[in-house]
Protein backbone atom coordinates (compact mmCIF):
# COMPACT_ATOMS: atom_id res chain seq x y z
CA UNK A 1 0.00 0.00 0.00
CA UNK A 2 1.25 3.43 -0.89
CA UNK A 3 2.18 5.83 1.95
CA UNK A 4 0.08 8.74 3.16
CA UNK A 5 1.43 11.95 1.63
CA UNK A 6 2.00 14.71 4.19
CA UNK A 7 1.14 17.85 2.24
CA UNK A 8 2.93 21.00 3.37
CA UNK A 9 0.77 23.05 1.02
CA UNK A 10 -2.40 21.87 2.78
CA UNK A 11 -0.94 22.26 6.27
CA UNK A 12 0.29 25.75 5.42
CA UNK A 13 -3.28 26.83 4.67
CA UNK A 14 -4.62 25.28 7.89
CA UNK A 15 -1.99 27.09 9.97
CA UNK A 16 -2.42 30.41 8.16
CA UNK A 17 -6.19 30.20 8.80
CA UNK A 18 -5.49 29.62 12.51
CA UNK A 19 -3.03 32.52 12.60
CA UNK A 20 -5.48 34.86 10.85
CA UNK A 21 -8.03 34.14 13.59
CA UNK A 22 -5.37 34.79 16.23
CA UNK A 23 -4.43 38.14 14.66
CA UNK A 24 -8.12 39.16 14.61
CA UNK A 25 -8.40 38.18 18.27
CA UNK A 26 -5.25 40.18 19.07
CA UNK A 27 -6.62 43.22 17.30
CA UNK A 28 -9.91 42.99 19.18
CA UNK A 29 -8.14 42.59 22.51
CA UNK A 30 -5.19 44.99 22.22
CA UNK A 31 -6.07 47.22 19.26
CA UNK A 32 -2.74 46.17 17.75
CA UNK A 33 -1.39 43.68 15.20
CA UNK A 34 1.96 41.88 14.79
CA UNK A 35 4.65 43.95 13.06
CA UNK A 36 7.27 42.43 10.78
CA UNK A 37 10.12 44.15 8.93
CA UNK A 38 12.20 42.46 6.26
CA UNK A 39 15.50 44.12 5.46
CA UNK A 40 16.85 43.47 2.01
CA UNK A 41 20.29 44.73 0.95
CA UNK A 42 20.60 45.00 -2.82
CA UNK A 43 18.14 43.44 -5.23
CA UNK A 44 19.34 39.92 -6.04
CA UNK A 45 16.34 38.33 -7.86
CA UNK A 46 16.16 35.25 -5.59
CA UNK A 47 16.27 37.41 -2.43
CA UNK A 48 13.64 39.80 -3.83
CA UNK A 49 11.32 36.88 -4.55
CA UNK A 50 11.76 35.38 -1.02
CA UNK A 51 11.13 38.75 0.64
CA UNK A 52 8.11 39.44 -1.58
CA UNK A 53 6.58 36.10 -0.57
CA UNK A 54 7.20 36.78 3.14
CA UNK A 55 5.66 40.24 2.93
CA UNK A 56 2.69 38.97 0.88
CA UNK A 57 2.00 36.29 3.51
CA UNK A 58 2.32 38.83 6.35
CA UNK A 59 -0.09 41.16 4.55
CA UNK A 60 -2.64 38.36 4.04
CA UNK A 61 -2.67 37.83 7.82
CA UNK A 62 -3.25 41.53 8.55
CA UNK A 63 0.24 42.22 9.96
CA UNK A 64 1.82 45.66 9.99
CA UNK A 65 4.60 44.91 7.48
CA UNK A 66 7.54 46.89 6.17
CA UNK A 67 9.81 45.90 3.31
CA UNK A 68 12.95 47.94 3.86
CA UNK A 69 15.18 47.70 0.79
CA UNK A 70 18.64 49.21 1.16
CA UNK A 71 21.27 49.94 -1.46
CA UNK A 72 23.91 47.26 -2.03
CA UNK A 73 26.47 49.93 -1.00
CA UNK A 74 25.08 50.47 2.51
CA UNK A 75 27.86 50.46 5.11
CA UNK A 76 27.88 47.91 7.90
CA UNK A 77 27.61 50.78 10.39
CA UNK A 78 24.47 52.16 8.72
CA UNK A 79 22.92 48.69 8.55
CA UNK A 80 23.58 48.16 12.27
CA UNK A 81 21.98 51.56 13.00
CA UNK A 82 18.93 50.56 10.96
CA UNK A 83 18.57 47.33 12.94
CA UNK A 84 18.82 49.31 16.18
CA UNK A 85 16.00 51.56 14.98
CA UNK A 86 13.73 48.52 14.52
CA UNK A 87 14.99 46.94 17.77
CA UNK A 88 13.41 49.84 19.66
CA UNK A 89 10.32 50.35 17.44
CA UNK A 90 7.27 49.26 19.52
CA UNK A 91 5.26 48.52 16.35
CA UNK A 92 7.79 45.91 15.20
CA UNK A 93 7.90 42.42 16.76
CA UNK A 94 9.90 40.56 14.14
CA UNK A 95 13.07 41.59 12.26
CA UNK A 96 14.32 39.60 9.30
CA UNK A 97 17.56 40.15 7.43
CA UNK A 98 17.47 38.50 4.04
CA UNK A 99 20.72 36.61 3.45
CA UNK A 100 23.17 36.58 1.74
CA UNK A 101 24.53 40.05 2.51
CA UNK A 102 27.16 41.77 0.31
CA UNK A 103 30.76 40.72 1.00
CA UNK A 104 31.76 43.95 2.80
CA UNK A 105 29.20 43.21 5.55
CA UNK A 106 29.79 40.64 8.29
CA UNK A 107 26.66 38.41 8.38
CA UNK A 108 27.24 37.30 11.97
CA UNK A 109 27.74 40.81 13.27
CA UNK A 110 24.47 41.87 11.65
CA UNK A 111 22.44 38.84 12.79
CA UNK A 112 23.80 39.19 16.32
CA UNK A 113 22.68 42.85 16.40
CA UNK A 114 18.99 41.87 16.23
CA UNK A 115 17.20 42.04 19.57
CA UNK A 116 16.82 38.32 20.44
CA UNK A 117 13.21 39.03 21.47
CA UNK A 118 12.47 40.12 17.88
CA UNK A 119 14.60 37.42 16.19
CA UNK A 120 11.72 35.50 14.59
CA UNK A 121 14.13 33.56 12.33
CA UNK A 122 15.63 32.06 15.51
CA UNK A 123 19.25 32.44 14.31
CA UNK A 124 20.58 34.63 17.16
CA UNK A 125 22.94 32.69 19.48
CA UNK A 126 20.63 33.55 22.40
CA UNK A 127 17.73 31.80 20.66
CA UNK A 128 19.94 28.87 19.64
CA UNK A 129 20.77 28.56 23.35
CA UNK A 130 17.09 28.79 24.28
CA UNK A 131 16.30 25.88 21.91
CA UNK A 132 19.01 23.88 23.66
CA UNK A 133 17.41 24.59 27.07
CA UNK A 134 13.93 23.77 25.70
CA UNK A 135 10.50 24.16 27.32
CA UNK A 136 9.15 27.70 27.74
CA UNK A 137 12.62 29.10 27.02
CA UNK A 138 12.44 27.96 23.40
CA UNK A 139 10.42 30.90 22.10
CA UNK A 140 11.64 31.14 18.51
CA UNK A 141 12.43 27.72 17.04
CA UNK A 142 14.19 28.20 13.67
CA UNK A 143 11.53 28.10 10.96
CA UNK A 144 12.44 25.01 8.89
CA UNK A 145 12.90 22.72 11.94
CA UNK A 146 9.71 24.18 13.44
CA UNK A 147 7.89 23.33 10.19
CA UNK A 148 9.27 19.78 10.24
CA UNK A 149 8.11 19.23 13.83
CA UNK A 150 4.69 20.70 13.07
CA UNK A 151 4.30 18.29 10.12
CA UNK A 152 5.25 15.33 12.28
CA UNK A 153 2.71 16.32 14.94
CA UNK A 154 -0.13 17.22 12.56
CA UNK A 155 0.34 13.99 10.60
CA UNK A 156 -0.37 12.08 13.82
CA UNK A 157 3.08 10.47 14.00
CA UNK A 158 3.99 9.21 17.49
CA UNK A 159 7.26 10.80 18.59
CA UNK A 160 7.52 9.71 22.21
CA UNK A 161 10.15 6.98 22.41
CA UNK A 162 10.46 6.93 18.62
CA UNK A 163 13.84 6.35 16.97
CA UNK A 164 14.53 9.53 15.00
CA UNK A 165 17.43 9.64 12.55
CA UNK A 166 18.45 13.05 11.20
CA UNK A 167 20.64 13.05 8.08
CA UNK A 168 22.68 16.28 8.07
CA UNK A 169 24.14 18.49 10.79
CA UNK A 170 23.71 22.04 9.48
CA UNK A 171 23.01 24.92 11.84
CA UNK A 172 19.73 25.75 10.14
CA UNK A 173 18.18 22.26 9.86
CA UNK A 174 20.02 19.16 11.10
CA UNK A 175 21.36 20.28 14.48
CA UNK A 176 18.29 22.23 15.67
CA UNK A 177 15.72 19.61 14.61
CA UNK A 178 17.77 16.89 16.34
CA UNK A 179 17.79 18.90 19.60
CA UNK A 180 14.09 19.75 19.30
CA UNK A 181 13.05 16.11 18.80
CA UNK A 182 15.08 15.02 21.83
CA UNK A 183 13.54 17.59 24.21
CA UNK A 184 10.72 16.87 26.62
CA UNK A 185 7.33 17.88 25.24
CA UNK A 186 4.72 17.47 22.54
CA UNK A 187 6.14 16.28 19.21
CA UNK A 188 9.40 15.33 20.92
CA UNK A 189 10.64 12.86 23.60
CA UNK A 190 12.39 10.94 20.82
CA UNK A 191 15.67 9.02 20.79
CA UNK A 192 17.76 10.88 18.24
CA UNK A 193 20.75 9.96 16.09
CA UNK A 194 22.49 12.52 13.85
CA UNK A 195 24.27 11.10 10.80
CA UNK A 196 26.50 12.98 8.36
CA UNK A 197 29.24 12.64 5.76
CA UNK A 198 31.62 10.91 8.20
CA UNK A 199 29.05 8.36 9.43
CA UNK A 200 30.25 4.80 8.81
CA UNK A 201 26.98 2.97 8.23
CA UNK A 202 24.46 5.50 6.94
CA UNK A 203 22.10 2.83 5.62
CA UNK A 204 22.17 0.87 8.89
CA UNK A 205 21.19 3.94 10.94
CA UNK A 206 18.44 4.99 8.53
CA UNK A 207 16.94 1.48 8.58
CA UNK A 208 16.28 1.80 12.33
CA UNK A 209 14.38 5.08 12.00
CA UNK A 210 10.72 5.32 12.94
CA UNK A 211 11.05 8.93 11.80
CA UNK A 212 13.67 9.70 9.16
CA UNK A 213 14.47 13.39 8.61
CA UNK A 214 16.75 13.99 5.64
CA UNK A 215 18.48 17.36 5.09
CA UNK A 216 21.62 16.61 3.09
CA UNK A 217 21.08 18.39 -0.23
CA UNK A 218 21.92 15.26 -2.27
CA UNK A 219 19.24 14.08 -4.74
CA UNK A 220 18.03 10.51 -4.11
CA UNK A 221 20.62 9.98 -1.35
CA UNK A 222 18.23 7.79 0.64
CA UNK A 223 17.54 4.50 -1.12
CA UNK A 224 14.27 2.59 -0.66
CA UNK A 225 16.06 -0.29 1.07
CA UNK A 226 17.22 2.14 3.83
CA UNK A 227 13.63 2.83 4.85
CA UNK A 228 11.90 1.05 7.71
CA UNK A 229 8.45 -0.22 6.64
CA UNK A 230 5.66 1.96 8.06
CA UNK A 231 8.01 4.79 9.14
CA UNK A 232 7.50 8.53 8.63
CA UNK A 233 9.92 10.14 6.16
CA UNK A 234 10.48 13.92 6.13
CA UNK A 235 12.44 14.98 3.07
CA UNK A 236 13.89 18.47 3.55
CA UNK A 237 16.17 18.42 0.51
CA UNK A 238 15.48 20.77 -2.37
CA UNK A 239 17.70 19.93 -5.33
CA UNK A 240 17.48 21.51 -8.76
CA UNK A 241 17.99 18.63 -11.17
CA UNK A 242 17.04 20.26 -14.47
CA UNK A 243 14.77 22.71 -16.20
CA UNK A 244 11.25 22.16 -17.48
CA UNK A 245 11.52 23.47 -21.01
CA UNK A 246 7.78 24.21 -21.28
CA UNK A 247 7.41 26.25 -18.06
CA UNK A 248 11.02 27.47 -17.79
CA UNK A 249 10.91 26.44 -14.12
CA UNK A 250 13.50 24.34 -12.29
CA UNK A 251 12.74 20.65 -11.77
CA UNK A 252 13.06 19.95 -8.05
CA UNK A 253 13.91 16.70 -6.34
CA UNK A 254 14.30 15.77 -2.70
CA UNK A 255 17.01 13.75 -0.94
CA UNK A 256 14.84 10.62 -0.90
CA UNK A 257 13.87 8.46 -3.86
CA UNK A 258 10.20 9.43 -3.39
CA UNK A 259 8.51 7.07 -5.87
CA UNK A 260 10.18 3.98 -4.43
CA UNK A 261 10.12 5.15 -0.79
CA UNK A 262 6.38 5.78 -0.75
CA UNK A 263 5.76 2.08 -1.35
CA UNK A 264 7.61 1.21 1.87
CA UNK A 265 7.13 3.94 4.48
CA UNK A 266 3.85 4.85 6.19
CA UNK A 267 3.94 8.63 5.65
CA UNK A 268 6.14 10.83 3.50
CA UNK A 269 6.55 14.49 2.52
CA UNK A 270 6.81 15.28 -1.21
CA UNK A 271 9.28 17.68 -2.88
CA UNK A 272 8.06 20.22 -3.83
CA UNK A 273 4.98 20.81 -1.65
CA UNK A 274 6.33 19.27 1.56
CA UNK A 275 8.59 21.02 4.07
CA UNK A 276 9.16 24.02 1.73
CA UNK A 277 5.78 25.75 2.22
CA UNK A 278 6.04 25.33 6.01
CA UNK A 279 9.09 27.57 6.52
CA UNK A 280 7.47 30.97 5.84
CA UNK A 281 4.37 29.78 7.70
CA UNK A 282 6.42 29.16 10.84
CA UNK A 283 8.01 32.57 10.44
CA UNK A 284 4.51 34.04 10.65
CA UNK A 285 3.77 31.88 13.69
CA UNK A 286 6.92 33.11 15.44
CA UNK A 287 5.95 36.73 14.68
CA UNK A 288 2.46 36.27 16.17
CA UNK A 289 4.07 34.66 19.23
CA UNK A 290 6.51 37.56 19.53
CA UNK A 291 3.69 40.13 19.29
CA UNK A 292 1.70 38.43 22.10
CA UNK A 293 4.85 38.40 24.20
CA UNK A 294 5.43 42.12 23.61
CA UNK A 295 1.76 42.82 24.49
CA UNK A 296 2.12 40.91 27.78
CA UNK A 297 0.55 37.59 26.75
CA UNK A 298 -2.78 36.37 25.35
P1 LIG B 1 24.08 21.98 4.36
O1 LIG B 1 24.76 21.80 3.07
O2 LIG B 1 24.43 23.12 5.23
O3 LIG B 1 24.23 20.65 5.22
C1 LIG B 1 24.08 19.38 4.65
C2 LIG B 1 24.40 18.35 5.69
O4 LIG B 1 24.17 17.07 5.12
C3 LIG B 1 25.84 18.39 6.16
O5 LIG B 1 25.84 18.35 7.57
C4 LIG B 1 26.47 17.13 5.60
O6 LIG B 1 27.35 16.49 6.53
C5 LIG B 1 25.28 16.22 5.35
N1 LIG B 1 25.50 15.44 4.13
C6 LIG B 1 25.73 15.89 2.88
N2 LIG B 1 25.94 14.85 2.04
C7 LIG B 1 25.83 13.72 2.77
C8 LIG B 1 25.97 12.35 2.47
N3 LIG B 1 26.25 11.93 1.25
N4 LIG B 1 25.80 11.49 3.49
C9 LIG B 1 25.52 11.90 4.75
N5 LIG B 1 25.38 13.19 5.08
C10 LIG B 1 25.54 14.10 4.11
O7 LIG B 1 22.52 21.98 4.00
P2 LIG B 1 21.20 22.54 4.71
O8 LIG B 1 21.23 24.02 4.69
O9 LIG B 1 20.91 21.83 5.99
O10 LIG B 1 20.13 22.04 3.62
C11 LIG B 1 19.98 20.68 3.30
C12 LIG B 1 18.94 20.55 2.21
O11 LIG B 1 17.70 21.04 2.70
C13 LIG B 1 19.25 21.35 0.95
O12 LIG B 1 18.78 20.64 -0.16
C14 LIG B 1 18.44 22.62 1.13
O13 LIG B 1 18.08 23.21 -0.09
C15 LIG B 1 17.23 22.08 1.85
N6 LIG B 1 16.55 23.08 2.69
C16 LIG B 1 15.21 23.23 2.51
C17 LIG B 1 14.52 24.16 3.28
C18 LIG B 1 13.05 24.29 3.08
O14 LIG B 1 12.43 23.52 2.45
N7 LIG B 1 12.41 25.26 3.62
C19 LIG B 1 15.20 24.93 4.22
C20 LIG B 1 16.56 24.71 4.40
C21 LIG B 1 17.24 23.79 3.63
Amino acid sequence: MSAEIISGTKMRQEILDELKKEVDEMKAKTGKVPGLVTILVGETPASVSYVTLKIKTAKSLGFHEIQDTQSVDITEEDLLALIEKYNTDPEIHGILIQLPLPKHIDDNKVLNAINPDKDVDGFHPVNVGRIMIGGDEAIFPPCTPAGIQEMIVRSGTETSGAEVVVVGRSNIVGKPIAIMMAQKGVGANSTVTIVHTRTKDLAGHCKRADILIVAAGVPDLVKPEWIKPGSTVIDVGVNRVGMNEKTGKAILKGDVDFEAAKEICGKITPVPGGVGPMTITMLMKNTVKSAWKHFGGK
Side-chain angles (χ1 to χ4, degrees), residues 18-87:
E18 289 165 16
L19 289 175
K20 180 79 180 80
K21 274 194 199 136
E22 215 175 317
V23 173
D24 292 344
E25 189 189 316
M26 183 185 285
K27 202 170 175 182
K29 199 170 166 188
T30 67
K32 293 173 186 165
V33 294
L36 177 69
V37 59
T38 54
I39 301 174
L40 176 64
V41 178
E43 301 205 41
T44 316
S47 293
V48 171
S49 95
Y50 288 135
V51 166
T52 308
L53 193 56
K54 288 172 188 174
I55 286 294
K56 196 174 146 204
T57 311
K59 214 176 239 171
S60 75
L61 295 176
F63 286 15
H64 162 57
E65 31 67 36
I66 300 174
Q67 180 171 343
D68 192 333
T69 305
Q70 295 291 324
S71 150
V72 74
D73 299 326
I74 189 172
T75 63
E76 189 176 273
E77 196 186 354
D78 285 349
L79 185 57
L80 293 172
L82 184 70
I83 293 170
E84 190 48 31
K85 182 184 93 170
Y86 290 120
N87 276 345

Side-chain angles (χ1 to χ4, degrees), residues 132-149:
M132 187 67 105
I133 295 166
D136 293 342
E137 288 286 328
I139 46 171
F140 298 134
C143 300
T144 301
I148 295 170
Q149 196 173 35

Side-chain angles (χ1 to χ4, degrees), residues 144 168-170 172-173 196-197 202 215-218 221 236-239 276 279:
T144 301
R169 53 177 165 182
S170 71
I172 62 164
V173 190
H196 45 77
T197 40
L202 200 56
V218 180
L221 171 69
V236 190
V238 180
N239 305 293
T279 300

Side-chain angles (χ1 to χ4, degrees), residues 96-112:
L96 284 183
I97 313 283
Q98 187 64 45
L99 297 176
L101 291 169
K103 285 203 169 61
H104 66 280
I105 296 177
D106 179 346
D107 289 14
N108 281 337
K109 204 165 169 188
V110 168
L111 292 178
N112 293 356

